[in-house]
Amino acid sequence: MIEIYNVSLSLEGKPVLQDVSLQINKGEFVYVIGKSGAGKTSLLRLIYMDLLPDRGNVIVEKFSSATIKRRQIPLLRRKVGVVFQDFKLLMDRNVFDNVAFALQVVGTPRRKVRSQVLNVLSRVGLHHKRYHMPEKLSGGERQRVAIARALVNEPFVLLADEPTGNLDPETAEEILDLLESINQAGTAVLLATHNYEIIRKYPHRTVVLDGGRLARELPDGIS
């Protein structure tokens, strides 16, 4: 579970989020929408504690932004998968090694690394391209690699920041189909987007940010 209580945040002296309260339950799929600069990315960064609030509290499972120590942040991030719009792949490593890296940095035994990587690549439909380099992949395939890397540590929640922003509509739908299947398997998904067509096609609870404030919640998406 993720609980955000009366959170306010400023960056470079400018308010980004103001008095935001939000709860994401286990296994839930939630969209965060709003105009550019509304605070969507900052909200996600607070959840994986790349940022800490100026006021209020963010609780992610047993971790609290009010008490977390720097050495504990890597432990938190093993439980939170993050997917970005621009993929952030390691261009000098193949698909297998990009995904394996997320396990290697936390000291996972080599045998377990191989089995977990092959399993998650099968889940995202890229087992047959495990030795391809990123430049040989389409945009949708690169995003699937990024999703596999985010999933390989078996997080309880997947944070996706505009994951379809660089993709054509057909590929964007393929990525949403994948995220839906991940959610149905039990992983919570929090997806920041400005693509309202996707929300209409794949309706879920939708949180609307406006000027850094939580303007409203739409339980069944947007009409």
Side-chain angles (χ1 to χ4, degrees):
M1 179 182 292
I2 298 169
E3 299 172 291
I4 299 170
Y5 296 111
N6 300 319
V7 160
S8 294
L9 172 71
S10 294
L11 296 176
E12 299 179 353
K14 297 179 181 179
V16 177
L17 294 169
Q18 302 177 64
D19 299 318
V20 173
S21 293
L22 180 65
Q23 181 172 300
I24 311 297
N25 295 315
K26 181 179 180 180
E28 195 172 12
F29 194 127
V30 180
Y31 295 109
V32 180
I33 64 173
K35 297 177 181 177
S36 179
K40 302 187 297 296
T41 295
S42 295
L43 181 65
L44 298 190
R45 291 176 68 188
L46 285 169
I47 292 171
Y48 63 91
M49 299 197 190
D50 187 43
L51 297 172
L52 296 177
D54 301 322
R55 187 171 68 250
N57 196 11
V58 179
I59 299 173
V60 182
E61 286 205 323
K62 66 180 181 179
F63 299 97
S64 166
S65 63
T67 59
I68 195 167
K69 303 292 190 290
R70 184 179 295 273
R71 68 178 183 275
Q72 294 175 309
I73 291 178
L75 300 177
L76 161 72
R77 292 180 182 168
R78 294 182 200 179
K79 299 177 179 291
V80 178
V82 186
V83 178
F84 302 94
Q85 178 177 343
D86 57 353
F87 319 133
K88 297 192 183 300
L89 300 182
L90 301 169
M91 299 304 290
D92 61 341
R93 303 188 186 202
N94 64 26
V95 167
F96 182 97
D97 289 338
N98 261 278
V99 178
F101 181 76
L103 294 171
Q104 292 162 347
V105 296
V106 298
T108 305
R110 183 178 298 179
R111 182 178 299 177
K112 190 174 182 181
V113 168
R114 179 172 175 78
S115 63
Q116 286 189 221
V117 171
L118 293 179
N119 178 63
V120 77
L121 287 176
S122 294
R123 287 183 67 187
V124 303
L126 286 178
H127 185 276
H128 63 298
K129 293 197 173 182
R130 58 193 181 279
Y131 299 129
H132 284 51
M133 298 300 288
E135 68 266 19
K136 300 295 185 181
L137 304 177
S138 67
E141 288 169 338
R142 292 186 189 190
Q143 193 59 286
R144 286 174 180 269
V145 177
I147 291 170
R149 183 181 57 195
L151 286 177
V152 75
N153 273 311
E154 300 177 339
F156 82 96
V157 63
L158 183 66
L159 308 179
D161 190 3
E162 300 281 6
T164 63
N166 290 331
L167 305 176
D168 63 79
E170 182 177 350
T171 305
E173 289 193 10
E174 291 174 359
I175 294 300
L176 260 293
D177 284 336
L178 175 58
L179 294 176
E180 285 274 325
S181 69
I182 289 166
N183 177 246
Q184 290 166 10
T187 303
V189 175
L190 182 60
L191 194 161
T193 185
H194 62 269
N195 189 334
Y196 289 12
E197 289 307 312
I198 282 177
I199 301 174
R200 291 187 180 97
K201 185 163 185 177
Y202 302 86
H204 292 284
R205 176 184 166 208
T206 300
V207 173
V208 184
L209 290 178
D210 185 3
R213 295 184 181 275
L214 200 161
R216 61 190 182 279
E217 291 194 36
L218 309 171
D220 301 310
I222 59 179
S223 59

